[in-house]
Amino acid sequence: MAGDCITVTLENHMSADPDDLPGYNALPMIVNHFNANQVKPSRNVGLHAQLVEYNLFNSDGMNVGFNPLQTAAPGGSVTYHWYAGKID
């Protein structure tokens, strides 16, 4: 609801080593001798909210630059704080 502060805790229950299936056709061949099999999927998860306000430094849900980690590793959790704003 408008004006509410929202706190969400995301828990990562993925296994530490999920299957990495072959994917020769998942990514187009933009660079010679490079395909999707050379990209390992991340085991970390995060939430990126839209239409709410939040601190980019700790509640954006992405690991970017020198900001602290904002995703949860397998077995871990992360808490986000969002603000739903006001309707004028």
Side-chain angles (χ1 to χ4, degrees):
M1 177 176 273
D4 285 349
C5 291
I6 305 158
T7 300
V8 174
T9 299
L10 173 66
E11 297 179 358
N12 184 347
H13 293 282
M14 289 178 50
S15 66
D17 195 20
D19 292 335
D20 184 10
L21 303 175
Y24 291 103
N25 297 318
L27 295 174
M29 269 304 224
I30 297 173
V31 177
N32 289 335
H33 310 293
F34 177 81
N35 62 49
N37 288 329
Q38 296 165 303
V39 179
K40 188 174 182 177
S42 173
R43 275 71 169 154
N44 292 3
V45 297
L47 288 175
H48 176 75
Q50 298 181 12
L51 302 177
V52 293
E53 295 180 37
Y54 51 85
N55 184 339
L56 290 172
F57 189 71
N58 59 18
S59 289
D60 189 33
M62 295 186 287
N63 299 331
V64 178
F66 293 110
N67 288 352
L69 293 179
Q70 298 182 36
T71 59
S77 65
V78 62
T79 300
Y80 302 108
H81 303 281
W82 304 323
Y83 176 62
K86 296 180 182 176
I87 298 177
D88 293 326

